[in-house]
Amino acid sequence: MKGGVLRRYHIWLAVGQRLADALTVWALLPTLCVVFDQTFNQTYQMAAILGGILTWVAMGAVDAYRPWRGATYWHEFRVLLGGWLIVVCSLFGVAWVTKTTESYSRLVTGSWFILSPLALIGLHALERMCMRLLRKHGRNTRTAVIVGAASLGRSLADHIRTSDWMGIRLLGFFDDDERKQGANVDGLPILGKCEDVLEQVRKNGVDIVYLALPLRAEARMRSLFDALQDTTASIYWVPDLFMFEMLHARELDVGGMPVFALCESPFFGPFGMLKRLEDIVLSTLILILVSPIMLGIALAVKLSSKGPVLFKQRRYGLDGQIVEVWKFRSMTVTED
């Protein structure tokens, strides 16, 4: 239970992190108004509120609240700067549309635009330092297994064990080599063959699976990846060619060793309920904005050919659940 104390309050920590960012941006504007002897009137109040809301949304959009366990500070800071750029552009756009640009002091707003990202970076750096300290003392840990006990897997295990601030607790290896079954490799047990990893993940609730197999074992990696997608474990591929760039896979860092994220569980980072709420709010707002365009498309489809305007397709979501997707029909209906 020691390692899972923070996980029980994960939803509150996730909400608190986003609120802290939004409140930091909001509070900085009235502070600057006081510093530069400007009245914090209704115009500035609306800008501060809008800035806080946009920070909440933009930082979520750029995935600033992803699990940064093992990643470099600079990587996270670049993401924060990208999110803040979205906020600044949005604020400029709103001010231009409402014709209120002349209502703001350039000194105040310029300082706000420069100091806000610095404050966010400082806040996230402080949070990371606190989390690293907690992980060194056994708090906020994640359990992990490594598929592949060859030199690549052993090297990864060594990196993880010498980076205790990451809070990753290794349970052992999985390997198909008959000679290694029931033995220990570098102090870690061989838990079974590669095909046994799915049962281990489901039985013991393993959080992370590292695939440290050679590229020639592509078929084995593909089958494992397909099987593990129905679990809540995060799956990372550890390449044996460190200069290899893999499309559609985000690179992470494990104590200085590169890995690629093939599938990250939505339960890490912001909690799934929080993400679901954000998806509903944002999609509703977007649907309202684009509804005139969608009505025009629907009318064009209906007038151009016979048949329904929309058609349905099945897709698979989290845990293999079937999701029904509605699309505008772009092809003519085939008659029997």
Side-chain angles (χ1 to χ4, degrees):
M1 292 299 293
K2 186 179 180 182
V5 173
L6 292 180
R7 192 181 306 188
R8 287 182 292 173
Y9 304 101
H10 189 52
I11 178 61
W12 303 113
L13 292 173
V15 173
Q17 188 179 36
R18 292 194 171 204
L19 278 176
D21 286 350
L23 290 175
T24 297
V25 172
W26 171 83
L28 192 56
L29 188 55
T31 302
L32 290 171
C33 285
V34 173
V35 171
F36 295 111
D37 197 25
Q38 292 286 324
T39 303
F40 188 59
N41 54 29
Q42 187 175 5
T43 304
Y44 281 106
Q45 292 170 15
M46 291 301 299
I49 294 173
L50 185 59
I53 294 174
L54 287 172
T55 298
W56 178 295
V57 174
M59 293 305 171
V62 298
D63 206 12
Y65 305 107
R66 72 182 71 167
W68 293 105
R69 189 185 301 259
T72 63
Y73 281 98
W74 174 238
H75 189 182
E76 182 178 4
F77 297 164
R78 281 188 301 174
V79 172
L80 290 172
L81 290 173
W84 181 247
L85 182 60
I86 295 175
V87 175
V88 172
C89 292
S90 301
L91 288 171
F92 269 121
V94 171
W96 180 77
V97 170
T98 57
K99 299 180 179 180
T100 57
T101 54
E102 299 298 328
S103 303
Y104 299 99
S105 164
R106 293 181 181 180
L107 185 59
V108 173
T109 54
S111 300
W112 189 40
F113 290 157
I114 293 173
L115 294 178
S116 289
L118 297 179
L120 293 176
I121 288 173
L123 189 64
H124 280 244
L126 179 62
E127 179 197 1
R128 288 190 62 164
M129 286 189 290
C130 292
M131 296 303 292
R132 287 188 173 195
L133 184 62
L134 287 172
R135 288 166 187 161
K136 280 189 174 182
H137 291 82
R139 306 286 181 176
N140 189 232
T141 58
R142 295 286 186 267
T143 56
V145 295
I146 299 175
V147 180
S151 59
L152 183 63
R154 296 198 304 270
S155 180
L156 174 64
D158 184 60
H159 277 75
I160 292 175
R161 288 188 293 187
T162 56
S163 303
D164 56 352
W165 49 266
M166 292 172 53
I168 296 177
R169 182 166 59 89
L170 284 176
L171 301 180
F173 294 99
F174 288 87
D175 198 281
D176 286 336
D177 191 340
E178 293 286 353
R179 296 169 298 178
K180 296 178 181 177
Q181 301 305 312
N184 281 5
V185 174
D186 292 348
L188 291 171
I190 300 294
L191 302 173
K193 295 187 176 181
C194 295
E195 61 188 19
D196 301 323
V197 66
L198 179 60
E199 180 183 356
Q200 176 80 5
V201 169
R202 287 177 171 172
K203 183 179 178 180
N204 297 319
V206 176
D207 299 311
I208 302 171
V209 177
Y210 292 107
L211 301 180
L213 297 172
L215 287 177
R216 62 178 179 273
E218 177 187 357
R220 169 62 74 185
M221 284 195 290
R222 183 176 294 275
S223 64
L224 288 173
F225 174 62
D226 291 340
L228 291 168
Q229 282 191 93
D230 287 334
T231 70
T232 56
S234 292
I235 310 163
Y236 297 100
W237 173 54
V238 188
D240 55 355
L241 297 175
F242 291 96
M243 299 304 294
F244 183 84
E245 293 184 0
M246 183 177 181
L247 294 175
H248 310 300
R250 184 163 55 82
E251 183 182 354
L252 299 176
D253 183 273
V254 178
M257 190 173 188
V259 299
F260 288 86
L262 300 181
C263 176
E264 286 190 308
S265 170
F267 295 105
F268 288 2
F271 196 74
M273 290 176 58
L274 181 63
K275 185 180 185 303
R276 177 61 177 162
L277 177 61
E278 182 178 309
D279 288 344
I280 292 173
V281 173
L282 289 179
S283 60
T284 302
L285 292 174
I286 293 173
L287 283 174
I288 292 173
L289 290 173
V290 303
S291 57
I293 300 175
M294 295 179 69
L295 288 173
I297 295 174
L299 182 62
V301 172
K302 191 65 178 177
L303 294 177
S304 62
S305 62
K306 296 181 180 179
V309 172
L310 302 172
F311 75 98
K312 304 174 185 178
Q313 281 188 327
R314 283 185 170 185
R315 292 289 185 267
Y316 291 93
L318 184 64
D319 295 330
Q321 294 183 2
I322 296 176
V323 179
E324 198 171 71
V325 179
W326 289 24
K327 297 182 178 180
F328 283 113
R329 179 172 57 85
S330 58
M331 302 176 67
T332 56
V333 177
T334 302
E335 296 182 3
D336 296 330

